RNA sequence: GCGAGGGUAACCAAGUGGUCAACGGUGAUCGACUCAAGAUCGAUUCGCGCAGGCGUUCGCGGGUUCAAAUCCCUCCCCUCGCACCA
């Protein structure tokens, strides 16, 4: 017998699989599935493994079910991350080098070339393909491409031409996080601190101060009517600067920020904060107010000068109170302008006093401010003399008025700080011009997407709400970048198409990727793609015959059946790709379904390359074997659930495969005539086939393995126990071997190929027919009989364990017919709680009196405890209990080592016999 | 904060009104086989019980029901997403 040797199985299978999964249009019905392609900037870990193995299992399943399956793969190399990585390696950054050299095990000769970003992605693309192949992924590698291939760029240009012509691409200005040292917008991953900070649009209220403006930033312009003073920090140096030709007084920090926000700024001179104290400023909407000192004023927040509305802002109120408690500015009174239900005349005062806040340093101040702010926004109304509008309306109206008449402008600032770039510099808000957007905010576009989403099959169904919400929530998406790899943006070639925006319809490109390579990129005009994908004729198309081949291929494969991706892409990529599809492709070519994955954990902690908490996929394959890795990843959780990689569980998975392997080899040559227990085994097998098939239809890999592996394994345990002495099975086991190998082939294809050969299967098991249920082999009667026997054996065992005597014989006492009658009546009753009455209507039962009511109660309890299908079968008189036990007598005597008798409970004289019920005979151990 | 999903025995995990003391797997304990085993097979793994039973469990607390892990409400905790980033 061959030893279990997964490395050898893998080698042999790989030899036989070369080119086997290259897939071309055929007579068969197609099944096209694809995964979000990887960004190959590092080595694959076992989390990646799951992402690509799930679709592979599904691909293999459908291939065996006779579909023409396409599972392609490519590499997304667009974007900025590798640029940063190559720079860090070039400058000798220890952390980065350690990651690539030690964790990813990049050889020194390769690593030194990583100063070129393209080398990094090329290296890891090859690695990905190598490791994916090692995992047994049935990918058509002819279709591999990267997103910086010139032909792909031509495809992207075609895509964008359509988006542009449909009016989805617009140009505008946009506030972004910006680092003045790097001279670049700053993404989340470039931040040292402040990744939660949001950019907020403030209104600058322009107070007049002599010939200059003093701007104060506010989110609540409507409170201008209640301003009693401004706050300036006396310890801060302010500047007088010419902003767009007008004099402003702001903090030094603010002057720098304003410059980034579409203003020309030249600083004239410094003004110590102290000099401004007690000066007077004015605004048309509130008149003349003084400037007061306040330590809480932060020069790095907006303009660095704050307007004070003590009636409605707790900070202002308490700062004023603090001053007044020192006997200063006692003539200033809060000026209320807003009424809010639940608050008195001066909300800020009331809130501060109620909370018992002593001074402005109290930590509860922020929460209090938020509370007043929310209450006034939600329920507040301006006083009648200011128009009486709700606050939420007045806010925008006043802002508009100020902008139009009173010189106000917008200023962008973060809602929380600090925000610090990786380089250590403070991040500011810059208004970026010549910024291009995909107009995801467009309601008409959204509506198209929502409509199509309804027709899509989403797995698991719970993610649907999340998709709906994402469509609803999406705003315009900045779709061009200044740094990184990618396709040039056609309308501004200094910029690149943003990485999430060049990877939305490439699933269509897969269908032609292996053929389009033969074309020179410059010949790939939009007209060429229009013909291939949209069937649009145009004069002078090059190489028409080849284009027709591609058109045929596209028409065959598209639309894709399912796209697979991790759930974190719902809020961007997965939704974007629907937007792009509906914008470009006709209805019948729109995506049909998506399967969303959970995350991967390693020993209970989140897997993360940067934290070093990863297990490399290749190491796992080398250590445990590809089949083990596959079976573990598929069996430990359903695809959409998070899975946890634990070595001890992986080791036991390997043992399970080995047990399967040995079991097949032991059974495959068994001969002999089948007995009842063989029929039972075959009937159960049909059940497992049906359930495995359903599970895989629904992408439930774990459920499928439970059925296909553990279900059959457990049946075999019972089967072996039930075999008569000296028998090791029957010829039916060959049928089971064949089916079992095929059921597990999608999960453990290497071992399956080996065994398929051993049992004399034709060709590759990868292309063998998926087992189908043979109705003739299904037998409820036999399964029910075995169920009765099994339950009784379990009861005998538990009794035997409890009682201390050494049994001399075991007697099974069968329930009398009238109890069967009661059982059937109750089982068939529409309301089982009323069934007892039903039973007692019968005269014969009435005569039995208490005996009958007791039996009815016991039957009711028993019926509740049995599986419903079993109850139905028993009630339909599906089992001859005496025959079951008589024919299992030899087995029972072997099991328990004592003589075994079957008798009728009534008249048996045994005290225990009265407890006999249908499907639960009395057991008498003596 | 907002949106979505989730909390089940030592661990992972199935289960969405009675099939539930709760599938399956791991780990642990005992036994069998072996020179031996990290290999294989069998048993046990909430408590009590010399008869197949009883009691108490499914994040906390409360409610609906003849009956709740499962339905409803309050609260606590965890994970993911919240954008220019793959």
């Amino acid at each position: 017998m061959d030893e279990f040797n997964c490395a050898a199985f893998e080698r042999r299978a790989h030899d036989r699989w070369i080119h086997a999964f290259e897939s071309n249009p055929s007579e068969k019905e197609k099944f096209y599935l694809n995964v979000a392609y990887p960004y190959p900037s590092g080595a694959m870990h076992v989390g990646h493994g799951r992402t690509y193995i799930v679709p592979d299992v599904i691909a293999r399943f459908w291939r065996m079910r006779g579909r023409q399956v396409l599972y392609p793969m490519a590499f997304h190399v667009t974007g900025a991350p590798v640029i940063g990585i190559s720079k860090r390696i070039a400058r000798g950054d220890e952390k980065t080098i350690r990651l690539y050299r030690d964790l990813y095990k990049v050889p020194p000769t390769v690593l030194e070339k990583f100063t070129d970003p393209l080398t990094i992605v090329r290296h890891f693309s090859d690695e990905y393909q190598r490791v994916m192949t090692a995992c047994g992924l049935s990918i058509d590698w002819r279709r591999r491409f990267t997103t910086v291939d010139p032909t792909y760029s031509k495809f992207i240009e075609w895509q964008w031409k359509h988006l542009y012509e449909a009016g989805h691409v617009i140009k505008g200005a946009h506030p972004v996080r910006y680092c003045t040292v790097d001279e670049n917008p700053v993404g989340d991953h470039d931040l040292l601190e402040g990744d939660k900070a949001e950019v907020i649009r403030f209104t600058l209220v322009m107070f007049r101060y002599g010939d200059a403006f003093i701007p104060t930033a506010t989110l609540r312009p409507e409170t201008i009517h209640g301003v009693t003073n401004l706050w300036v920090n006396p310890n801060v140096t302010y500047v007088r600067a010419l902003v767009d030709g007008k004099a402003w007084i702001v903090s030094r920090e603010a002057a720098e920020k304003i410059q980034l926000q579409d203003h020309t700024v030249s600083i004239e001179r410094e003004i110590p904060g102290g000099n401004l104290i007690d000066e007077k400023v004015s605004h048309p909407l509130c008149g003349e107010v003084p400037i007061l000192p306040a330590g809480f004023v932060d020069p790095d927040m907006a303009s660095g000068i704050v307007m004070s509305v003590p009636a409605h802002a707790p900070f202002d109120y308490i700062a004023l109170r603090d001053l007044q408690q020192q006997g200063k500015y006692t003539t200033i009174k809060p000026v209320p302008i807003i009424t809010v239900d639940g608050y008195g005349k001066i909300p800020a005062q009331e809130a501060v006093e109620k909370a018992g806040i002593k001074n402005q340093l109290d930590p509860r101040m922020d929460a209090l401010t938020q509370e007043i702010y929310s209450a006034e926004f939600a329920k507040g109304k301006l006083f009648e003399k200011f128009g009486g509008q709700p606050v939420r309306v007045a806010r925008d109206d006043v802002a508009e008025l100020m902008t139009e008449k009173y010189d106000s402008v917008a200023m962008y600032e973060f809602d929380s700080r600090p925000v610090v770039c990786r380089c250590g510099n403070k991040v500011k808000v810059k208004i970026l011009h010549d910024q291009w957007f995909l107009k995801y905010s467009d309601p008409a576009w959204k509506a198209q997407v929502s409509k199509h989403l309804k027709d899509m099959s989403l797995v698991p169904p719970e993610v649907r709400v999340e998709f709906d919400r994402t469509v609803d929530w999406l705003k315009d998406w900045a779709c061009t970048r200044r740094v990184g790899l990618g396709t040039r943006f056609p309308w501004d070639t200094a910029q690149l198409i943003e990485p999430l925006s060049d990877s939305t319809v490439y699933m269509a490109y897969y269908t032609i990727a292996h053929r389009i390579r033969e074309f020179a990129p410059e010949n790939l005009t939009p007209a060429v793609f229009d013909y291939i994908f949209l069937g649009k004729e145009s004069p002078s198309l090059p190489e028409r015959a080849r284009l027709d081949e591609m058109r045929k291929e596209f028409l065959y494969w598209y639309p894709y059946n399912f796209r697979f991706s991790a759930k974190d892409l719902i809020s961007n990529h997965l939704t974007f790709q629907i937007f792009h599809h509906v914008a470009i492709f006709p209805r019948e070519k729109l995506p049909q379904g998506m399967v969303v994955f959970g995350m991967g954990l390693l020993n209970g902690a989140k897997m993360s390359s940067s934290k070093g908490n990863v297990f490399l996929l290749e190491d796992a394959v080398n250590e445990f074997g590809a089949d083990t890795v596959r079976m573990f990843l598929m069996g430990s959780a359903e695809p959409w659930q998070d899975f946890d990689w634990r070595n001890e569980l992986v080791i036991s998975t390997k043992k399970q495969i080995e047990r399967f392997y040995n079991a097949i080899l032991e059974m495959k040559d068994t001969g002999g005539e089948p007995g009842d227990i063989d029929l039972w085994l075959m009937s159960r097998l049909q059940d497992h086939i049906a359930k495995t098939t359903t599970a895989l239809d629904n992408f439930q890999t774990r459920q499928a393995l439970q059925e296909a592996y553990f279900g059959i394994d457990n049946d075999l345990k019972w089967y072996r126990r039930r075999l008569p002495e000296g028998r090791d099975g029957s010829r039916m086991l060959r049928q089971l071997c064949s089916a079992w190998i095929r059921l597990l082939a999608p999960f453990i294809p290497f071992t399956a190929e080996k065994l398929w050969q051993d049992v004399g299967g034709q060709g590759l098991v990868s292309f063998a027919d998926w087992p189908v249920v043979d109705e003739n082999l299904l037998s409820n009667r036999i399964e029910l009989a075995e169920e009765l026997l099994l339950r009784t054996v379990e009861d005998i065992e538990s009794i035997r364990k409890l009682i201390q005597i050494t049994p001399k014989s075991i007697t099974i006492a069968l329930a009398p017919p009238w109890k069967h009658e009661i059982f059937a009546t109750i089982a068939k009753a529409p309301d089982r709680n009323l069934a007892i009455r039903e039973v007692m209507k019968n005269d014969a039962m009435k005569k039995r009196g208490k005996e009958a009511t007791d039996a009815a109660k016991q039957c009711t309890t028993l019926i509740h405890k049995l599986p419903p299908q079993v109850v139905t079968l028993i009630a339909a008189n599906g089992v001859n209990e005496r025959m079951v036990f008589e024919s299992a007598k030899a087995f029972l005597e072997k099991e328990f080592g004592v003589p075994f008798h079957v008798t009728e409970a009534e008249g048996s004289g045994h005290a225990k016999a009265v407890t006999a019920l249908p499907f639960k005979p009395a057991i008498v151990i003596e």
Side-chain angles (χ1 to χ4, degrees):
Chain A
M1 187 193 285
D2 283 7
E3 283 298 300
F4 178 77
N5 179 342
C6 44
F9 303 166
E10 286 170 24
R11 276 194 302 275
R12 218 174 312 168
H14 282 307
D15 286 345
R16 301 178 69 205
W17 284 347
I18 291 174
H19 302 303
F21 303 114
E22 293 173 1
S23 195
N24 297 313
S26 75
E27 295 306 307
K28 292 193 259 184
E29 191 182 346
K30 63 94 188 179
F31 190 90
Y32 175 20
L33 76 178
N34 55 65
V35 205
Y37 48 21
Y39 183 77
S41 64
M44 290 177 87
H45 56 65
V46 290
H48 296 119
R50 207 253 299 242
T51 306
Y52 306 108
I53 291 168
V54 172
D56 184 63
V57 169
I58 301 302
R60 288 175 173 277
F61 168 66
W62 284 102
R63 202 174 282 124
M64 291 176 74
R65 290 188 88 191
R67 295 286 192 93
Q68 187 69 42
V69 171
L70 176 59
Y71 179 20
M73 187 61 62
F75 298 100
H76 191 215
V77 306
T78 319
V82 282
I83 308 274
I85 293 165
S86 65
K87 276 186 187 155
R88 266 173 268 149
I89 288 178
R91 99 167 89 95
D93 180 79
E94 248 323 297
K95 206 175 146 217
T96 310
I97 289 173
R98 225 179 296 133
L99 179 68
Y100 280 79
R101 183 190 56 202
D102 302 341
L103 187 64
Y104 295 158
K105 302 188 186 96
V106 178
T109 49
V110 178
L111 189 59
E112 65 192 26
K113 294 184 194 131
F114 273 14
T115 49
D116 168 41
L118 265 176
T119 305
I120 301 178
V121 285
R122 288 206 181 110
H123 172 79
F124 284 112
S125 299
D126 290 344
E127 287 291 292
Y128 262 69
Q129 177 168 355
R130 200 170 55 73
V131 177
M132 283 173 163
T133 304
C135 287
L137 302 191
S138 56
I139 289 169
D140 180 351
W141 284 109
R142 296 173 307 164
R143 298 169 192 263
R144 167 182 163 171
F145 61 87
T146 80
T147 52
V148 293
D149 296 349
T151 44
Y152 185 80
S153 285
K154 287 293 172 186
F155 167 72
I156 295 300
E157 283 171 19
W158 166 79
Q159 171 194 353
W160 280 74
K161 179 170 172 283
H162 280 275
L163 292 173
Y164 188 85
E165 284 170 358
H168 298 311
V169 183
I170 56 170
K171 188 178 175 181
H174 187 59
V176 296
R177 290 188 297 225
Y178 191 84
C179 174
T180 47
V181 173
D182 292 353
E183 296 189 344
N184 241 319
V186 188
D188 263 351
H189 58 284
D190 294 324
L191 285 173
L192 221 50
E193 240 183 301
D195 55 331
K196 285 261 157 60
E198 265 186 81
V199 174
I200 306 274
R201 186 181 204 266
F202 287 86
T203 302
L204 290 182
V205 181
M206 308 304 268
F207 287 88
R208 184 136 322 257
Y209 171 60
D211 64 338
F213 282 129
I214 292 188
T216 65
T218 183
L219 293 171
R220 311 187 54 186
E222 80 284 2
T223 58
I224 180 70
H225 307 294
V227 171
T228 58
N229 61 284
L230 302 193
W231 298 114
V232 157
N233 192 329
N235 307 315
V236 164
T237 303
Y238 291 83
V239 296
R240 181 184 158 102
L242 276 180
V243 177
D244 303 329
K246 286 178 191 157
W248 289 21
I249 294 170
V250 292
S251 69
R252 181 170 278 286
E253 291 87 340
E256 283 176 40
K257 292 176 188 171
I258 291 165
Q259 201 158 14
L260 293 171
Q261 297 183 15
D262 285 354
H263 301 283
T264 59
V265 176
S266 68
I267 291 173
E268 291 183 326
R269 63 167 196 275
E270 292 186 343
I271 302 178
N275 292 8
L276 293 169
I277 306 301
D278 293 336
E279 293 293 304
K280 295 276 195 289
V281 298
S282 69
H283 191 282
L285 295 175
C286 72
E288 192 175 75
V289 293
I291 299 177
L292 270 50
F296 71 79
V297 176
D298 179 356
D300 197 22
M301 178 64 191
S303 68
I305 300 176
V306 180
M307 72 183 203
S308 167
V309 190
H312 298 286
F315 260 111
D316 295 338
Y317 172 78
I318 204 151
L320 184 62
R321 194 183 71 177
D322 287 356
L323 284 175
Q324 291 178 338
Q325 277 170 354
Q326 297 164 28
K328 299 172 190 164
Y329 309 108
T330 46
T331 55
I332 300 179
K333 296 275 175 271
V335 180
I337 56 156
I338 294 168
T339 56
V340 203
D341 282 351
Y343 290 89
K345 215 173 162 205
I346 305 177
Q349 178 179 11
E350 190 183 312
V352 165
E353 281 170 2
K354 214 187 224 167
I357 284 172
K358 294 271 177 317
N359 59 52
Q360 38 186 298
L361 300 174
D362 195 298
R364 290 170 297 168
M365 284 302 290
D366 282 328
L368 209 61
T369 301
Q370 189 57 43
E371 179 198 321
I372 298 283
Y373 186 106
S374 307
E376 293 189 350
F377 183 71
K379 303 180 290 189
K381 267 183 159 177
L382 285 192
F383 285 180
E384 284 305 325
K385 61 177 163 176
F386 302 119
Q389 287 169 309
V391 167
R392 63 172 77 218
V393 177
R395 182 160 304 173
D396 296 339
D397 284 1
V398 174
E400 201 177 313
L401 175 73
M402 286 177 166
T403 308
E404 272 175 22
K405 283 197 169 164
Y406 304 122
D407 303 289
S408 278
V409 291
M411 177 171 181
Y412 295 94
E413 182 61 284
F414 298 116
D415 65 340
S416 67
R417 277 157 311 132
V419 183
V420 184
C421 176
R422 260 197 185 160
C423 72
N425 187 39
K426 264 191 204 161
V427 174
K428 299 185 176 67
V429 180
K430 178 179 167 72
I431 295 182
L432 220 54
H433 286 271
D434 299 327
Q435 178 62 59
W436 294 79
F437 295 90
L438 278 167
K439 207 177 169 194
Y440 292 136
S441 66
D442 178 357
W445 202 7
K446 281 181 196 272
Q448 273 179 289
V449 172
S450 296
K451 182 164 174 286
H452 178 64
L453 211 41
K454 286 193 180 67
D455 296 334
M456 286 184 79
S457 139
L458 302 181
V459 181
E462 295 83 61
V463 299
R464 184 172 293 277
V465 280
E466 223 174 317
F467 274 102
D468 287 340
R469 199 190 137 270
T470 301
V471 173
D472 200 43
W473 159 89
L474 272 180
K475 300 189 272 265
D476 294 345
W477 179 266
C479 61
T480 57
R481 293 289 175 277
R482 284 163 175 80
V483 288
L485 303 175
T487 301
R488 301 226 161 262
F489 187 71
W491 300 276
D492 177 357
T493 51
Q495 298 197 59
L496 298 159
I497 291 170
E498 179 275 331
L500 287 184
S501 305
D502 78 344
S503 53
T504 52
V505 293
Y506 68 92
M507 310 70 147
Y509 189 81
Y510 277 131
T511 66
I512 58 163
H514 55 314
R515 296 180 181 273
I516 201 159
R517 256 197 295 273
E518 299 160 4
F519 284 78
E522 58 271 21
N523 292 337
L524 297 176
T525 59
V528 170
F529 290 107
D530 272 347
Y531 179 69
I532 297 171
F533 294 124
L534 304 173
K536 219 195 271 172
E537 293 289 348
S538 54
S540 70
L541 285 170
E543 306 200 54
R544 185 57 184 258
R546 280 172 160 188
L547 296 190
D548 282 337
E549 282 298 305
M550 288 194 275
R551 170 98 181 122
K552 204 179 110 197
E553 189 117 20
F554 171 74
L555 287 176
Y556 179 74
W557 295 115
Y558 233 62
Y560 66 74
N561 298 65
F562 281 97
R563 177 159 184 78
F564 294 67
S565 160
K567 65 177 171 190
D568 52 352
L569 296 189
I570 292 176
S571 65
N572 47 55
H573 166 75
L574 286 175
T575 306
F576 289 2
Q577 55 117 11
I578 307 175
F579 271 88
H580 289 223
H581 270 90
V582 300
I584 295 170
F585 292 99
R587 205 180 150 70
E588 69 275 10
K589 293 294 172 199
L590 299 183
Q592 292 180 332
M594 289 187 277
V595 181
V596 176
F597 290 156
M599 300 294 184
L601 304 177
L602 179 59
N603 298 320
K606 194 181 164 182
M607 242 181 281
S608 153
S609 303
S610 56
K611 288 184 189 123
N613 188 44
V614 289
F615 197 101
L616 293 194
L617 185 54
E618 186 171 26
D619 293 345
V621 169
N622 289 338
E623 190 172 341
F624 304 105
D627 279 344
T628 305
V629 171
R630 293 173 63 103
M631 179 155 151
F632 173 77
L633 289 172
M634 295 307 97
S636 66
E638 298 295 5
W640 41 89
Q641 297 171 321
D642 295 350
F643 77 92
D644 192 3
W645 180 278
R646 288 178 193 262
N647 274 3
E648 61 194 37
L649 295 181
V650 180
I651 289 166
S652 80
T653 303
K654 183 170 185 175
K655 286 181 200 162
Q656 285 157 357
I657 297 174
E658 195 168 345
R659 199 158 72 225
F660 162 71
Y661 176 79
N662 291 329
I664 295 287
L665 291 192
E666 279 163 23
M667 292 189 295
K668 72 183 174 71
D669 298 320
T670 311
E673 284 306 303
D676 273 357
I677 196 62
D678 291 280
L679 298 179
W680 172 82
L681 186 67
M682 293 315 284
S683 179
R684 296 277 298 177
L685 175 64
Q686 307 313 308
D687 220 41
H688 294 308
I689 291 173
K691 286 186 173 144
T692 306
T693 308
T694 306
L696 284 178
D697 268 334
N698 296 319
F699 306 94
Q700 292 166 296
T701 56
R702 178 191 145 88
Q703 181 63 32
L705 266 177
Q706 290 281 332
E707 285 297 331
Y709 182 82
F710 297 105
I712 294 174
D713 192 44
N714 281 330
D715 284 352
L716 278 170
K717 278 183 194 164
W718 177 249
Y719 172 81
R720 292 197 189 97
R721 193 169 160 191
R722 284 281 278 125
L723 278 177
E725 211 102 34
R727 288 272 310 276
D728 57 356
S730 81
R731 57 183 160 75
M732 275 193 157
L733 286 180
R734 294 186 206 173
Q735 240 174 296
L736 180 121
C737 284
S738 164
W740 202 11
I741 293 167
R742 284 176 290 148
L743 287 176
L744 290 177
F747 300 95
I748 49 170
F750 297 103
T751 307
E753 289 292 4
K754 159 75 169 76
L755 288 173
W756 189 242
Q757 275 192 310
D758 289 349
V759 302
Q762 293 295 304
L764 290 165
V765 75
S766 303
F767 290 87
D769 288 336
W770 183 254
V772 289
V773 174
D774 182 346
E775 300 283 348
N776 297 322
L777 291 174
L778 267 173
S779 169
N780 283 329
R781 189 183 56 79
I782 291 174
E783 286 197 39
L784 191 64
E786 210 56 31
E787 174 96 25
L788 171 63
L789 184 66
L790 178 67
R791 281 171 181 265
T792 309
V793 166
E794 279 171 358
D795 278 354
I796 296 172
E797 277 173 346
S798 70
I799 295 166
R800 212 181 46 163
K801 242 170 269 151
L802 275 170
I803 58 174
Q804 300 292 310
I805 60 165
T806 310
K808 293 190 191 66
S809 79
I810 298 174
T811 306
I812 292 290
L814 302 171
W818 63 269
K819 284 193 182 176
H820 282 272
E821 206 178 307
I822 290 176
F823 187 99
T825 309
I826 295 170
K828 288 171 185 163
D831 183 345
R832 282 174 187 161
N833 301 312
L834 305 174
I836 294 183
R837 273 182 234 165
E838 191 78 20
V839 168
M840 299 313 288
K841 275 185 199 157
N842 183 318
D843 283 342
M845 294 300 170
K846 264 188 210 155
K847 274 187 211 145
R848 293 184 189 275
K850 189 165 184 309
E851 196 186 19
T853 48
D854 283 352
K857 275 182 204 155
Q858 287 159 2
C859 282
T860 308
T861 310
L862 180 62
I863 283 169
H864 277 151
K865 284 193 170 177
L866 291 170
Q869 15 358 335
V870 168
V871 171
T872 315
L873 286 167
I874 300 168
N877 206 12
V879 62
N880 180 338
E881 297 191 14
R882 176 172 281 276
M883 208 154 85
V884 169
F885 292 111
E886 290 290 359
S887 62
K889 210 167 168 180
F891 162 70
L892 290 163
E893 291 187 344
K894 180 184 76 177
E895 280 285 308
F896 298 104
V898 294
F900 200 90
H901 311 286
V902 185
T903 180
E904 295 300 326
E906 282 196 339
S908 71
H910 286 293
K912 294 283 171 201
V914 296
T915 62
L917 288 173
F919 218 66
K920 198 171 177 62
I923 296 160
V924 184
I925 300 179
E926 291 167 311

